[in-house]
Structure formats: structure tokens, C-alpha cells
Amino acid sequence: MLAEVLSLRAINRALLSRQRLLDRPALPAAGSDEARAAMVVETIEHLVGLQAQAPFPPYYGLLSRLDGFRSDDLASLITGRVVVRIALMRGTIHLVSARDCLPLRRLLQPVMERGLRSNFGGQLAGVDTAARPAPGRTLVEAEPMTFSQLGQALAGRWPDHSAAALAQGVRAFVPLVQVPPRAVWGQSGRSRHTSAEHWLGQPPHAEREGSPAPVPGLADLMLRYLGAFGPASVRDVAAWSGLTGLRAVMEQLRPSLVIFRDERGTELFDLPSAPRPGGDILAPVRLVAEFDNLVLSHGDRSRVISAENAKRLYTVNGVIPGPVLIDGFVGGMWRLTTSRGMTTLTIELFGPARERDALEREAERVLAFCSPDRSCDIRFGPVT
């Protein structure tokens, strides 16, 4: 029996629906703090984390997905240790819930080790892999440290090796979280790290001490990925996670999944009950965050951005401006700048001006969130 073919627009609408960018749920009214916090955490967990190389894009990622979102809805979760920032998928920093932090980190350990070998393996030759993490853990648990501070402290023990490489060696084997005030709205701070176990009040290697933490298997992770990013191919899951050897796991899951193909014949897997609203559904304008998961989590990104527009969005220095979604696809980019008390939101469109009124309304929403007490301006033109 031939698998049903999904059009590009149908795949796009399914993705937007999973990402909560098609219909934006509303947070409970102000004052319902526990209910609001629970909904924000549920959103972060549904998305399997938010990309967070920079401190503040997760705020805008949640703003684009939750109506009524306020900065304190996330800031209080960071200071309250309910969510944390830690290297996970592809070895990049993600904002995840405390519940997800250690289980995901253990599952993605091969990604961390492969990145260390690729980038710093030669500089760590002669340093016992088993001996390196313990002193690093002791240092960061005594006092949160920047990588520079950690490397310099370790260099006293291994003086013939790069301090930067030694710090990264600890990062690869100790789950390090960035501590506040880093990423707390309205504050600034260097990236200082401690172990996730210490920050969250859990013993190291809890699974060896009689109190096992739930470690998800690859199958569970792939099902969560499909719930947030599907329908998707095995290549898509690998591009998102950085893990290899996923084909066999997907084959084990095949009987419980529904199978589609895209217009080029690529096999796509999905959860039977996941929403697939169809390509004829209208997609609202959205201003998505810098580095957003939406544009970084597939091997085939054509479901949300064309190859031509990707060249304009993905800059050579690795900084990805906020994408502008028009009719569900990336049709431009946006950026905030502040000068002399004025906050300006600039929108650069990749084609003819479309949906200008809707773009202005969405821009006003962003400015009301980030600069409620400043003069603001919206401009259409090149993002510099």
C-alpha cells in the first residue's frame, strides 16, 4: 500500500500546529501564577526545549507561541530553578525544564563526547578522560565558574594542556547549567556554570545510588520529536538531535506510527493522533525568535524556508535573525535595536511587501512586550 503524499504546505501547517504558531494559546489571566507557570513549562517540555545560545531569544520564542506571555513568566522559572539552560541537542545551549534536564543530557552524552573529540581531542591527548571530570565538578560546585575561570583552575593540574580545552573536557562529561543572573530578563551576567545535579539538588549519578532518575530511551525521544516537529524523516531527527544510528530505532517504532511521503518521495513518520490540519488552512503572520527551533530542527528545512531565503537568513557569523513568517514560510527577518531611548523594530522582507498591516500588529505586540516604557518605532527596510 502506497503511503499518502503530503504537499509542502500540508507539512508546513502540521509543523506550525505542533509548534503552536498556528493557533496561539492564551495564558491564564494575570494573578494565576501557578497556572501560568505550569502552562509555560508545559510549552517548553512539549517543544523539547527552546534554542538558547543567546540569553533572551527564548522569551521571544514563548511570546510568539503564548498569548499574554510576560517576561516574568520565564524569568521567575529560571531563578526558581524550574527551568535551566544546558548544552543538549547538537551540543548547543537549550532552555529545558528541570524535569527534562538530566534525562535528556544523559541520552545526548554521545553528542557531547563526539563534539569534544572533533574540536578538542588533539589538545587533550594524554589527559585521562576518567580523571578529568571529578576535579572540574568539584570546582564548579564550590562556586559557579566561567569556562575561562574553570580552564585556568584546571591548568594548574594539567599545565601542558590548553586551558580552554580542559574546560570543554569538563563540559562534555559533567552536565553544566548556566546560573542566574544570566538570561534573567532585565539583568545581565557572564555565563557561569555549575553542575545540573548541584543546582537542582540531585546527587551525581543518581541511577547508581538507589534512586533512579527516569532516563528516556531513544524511542521516547523520537516520539517527542515527532510530536513537536513532525511529520519527519529519520534524517530530520538526526539533524535536530545530533545523534546517529536512529534508523533502527525508527524501524522498531514503525508499527505504531503513520507513514507519509513528501512530494519528492522522502518517507515521513508521524504520530497517529498528531494534528495535521491541511495545506488549505490559513497561517497567521508571526515574528519568530532568533535561533528559533522552528528553522533549525530538520535536515530538510524547505518545510519552512526556501533554499534561497535560507542563504539570506543564515549569516556567515552564525547569528540567525528573527524569522518573519508569512503564509507559514520564512518571508523575511526582523531585529530590535535601541538608541537614545528609542526602540526600533526593523522588518526586512525577502520579496514584495505582503501582509503589512498584520506585520505591524505583530511588531506592536513585540514592542509592547520588550519596551513598554520606551518610545518605539517600526520600520521596513534592511536589517543591519
Side-chain angles (χ1 to χ4, degrees), residues 155-223:
R157 182 168 179 152
W158 290 285
D160 297 328
H161 292 81
S162 160
L166 290 168
Q168 292 301 312
V170 174
R171 178 182 186 261
F173 290 96
V174 178
L176 297 178
V177 296
Q178 295 184 4
V179 303
R182 183 74 169 174
V184 176
W185 189 265
Q187 300 185 43
S188 61
R190 295 183 296 172
S191 299
R192 298 183 306 127
H193 307 81
T194 190
S195 74
E197 298 95 336
H198 182 72
W199 185 249
L200 298 175
Q202 300 182 29
H205 310 297
E207 68 278 8
R208 301 179 187 175
E209 300 179 14
S211 56
V215 180
L218 286 176
D220 293 329
L221 185 66
M222 293 174 79
L223 292 174

Side-chain angles (χ1 to χ4, degrees), residues 38-325:
M39 189 168 176
V40 172
V41 172
E42 188 278 331
T43 300
I44 293 169
E45 290 183 340
H46 169 75
L47 297 171
V48 202
L50 288 163
Q51 196 92 8
Q53 292 102 313
F56 301 116
Y59 289 86
Y60 293 98
L62 290 167
L63 177 68
S64 66
R65 292 170 169 89
L66 293 172
D67 196 32
F69 176 75
R70 303 174 307 186
S71 57
D72 189 58
D73 290 323
L74 178 55
S76 61
L77 296 178
I78 294 173
T79 57
R81 309 189 188 197
V82 181
V83 300
V84 295
R85 302 174 75 245
I86 183 172
L88 291 171
M89 284 69 75
R90 305 180 303 283
T92 58
I93 301 296
H94 280 70
L95 177 88
V96 295
S97 72
R99 282 190 294 257
D100 274 344
C101 174
L102 285 167
L104 287 176
R105 180 60 173 74
R106 292 173 192 138
L107 191 60
L108 292 157
Q109 181 61 30
V111 178
M112 303 300 297
E113 294 184 31
R114 187 172 67 247
L116 179 69
R117 289 193 300 269
S118 175
N119 296 313
F120 298 97
Q123 299 176 56
L124 292 172
V127 179
D128 183 3
T129 300
R132 189 189 320 124
R137 178 186 286 277
T138 298
L139 287 165
V140 298
E141 290 183 353
E143 181 180 6
M145 288 183 161
T146 66
F147 282 137
S148 176
Q149 292 168 336
L150 177 59
Q152 290 301 319
L154 292 170
R157 182 168 179 152
W158 290 285
D160 297 328
H161 292 81
S162 160
L166 290 168
Q168 292 301 312
V170 174
R171 178 182 186 261
F173 290 96
V174 178
L176 297 178
V177 296
Q178 295 184 4
V179 303
R182 183 74 169 174
V184 176
W185 189 265
Q187 300 185 43
S188 61
R190 295 183 296 172
S191 299
R192 298 183 306 127
H193 307 81
T194 190
S195 74
E197 298 95 336
H198 182 72
W199 185 249
L200 298 175
Q202 300 182 29
H205 310 297
E207 68 278 8
R208 301 179 187 175
E209 300 179 14
S211 56
V215 180
L218 286 176
D220 293 329
L221 185 66
M222 293 174 79
L223 292 174
R224 288 186 66 181
Y225 172 81
L226 292 177
F229 297 95
S233 67
V234 175
R235 174 173 168 248
D236 290 325
V237 189
W240 167 75
S241 65
L243 290 164
T244 59
L246 299 178
R247 171 63 64 180
V249 182
M250 191 67 87
E251 288 302 321
Q252 293 174 3
L253 291 170
R254 181 184 288 271
S256 64
L257 301 175
V258 289
I259 314 300
F260 301 98
R261 291 191 180 274
D262 66 18
E263 294 169 325
R264 290 175 291 187
T266 302
E267 193 172 46
L268 304 176
F269 299 85
D270 205 5
L271 306 177
S273 60
R276 290 178 292 275
D280 58 338
I281 297 297
L282 296 178
V285 163
R286 295 285 187 253
L287 300 186
V288 186
E290 297 174 309
F291 304 106
D292 199 275
N293 306 42
L294 179 75
V295 296
L296 294 173
S297 299
H298 296 87
D300 178 8
R301 298 173 180 174
S302 65
R303 69 190 59 213
V304 71
I305 185 169
S306 68
E308 179 182 357
N309 286 344
K311 293 177 183 178
R312 303 180 69 171
L313 186 71
Y314 305 144
T315 58
V316 293
N317 61 1
V319 176
I320 300 175
V324 174
L325 297 186

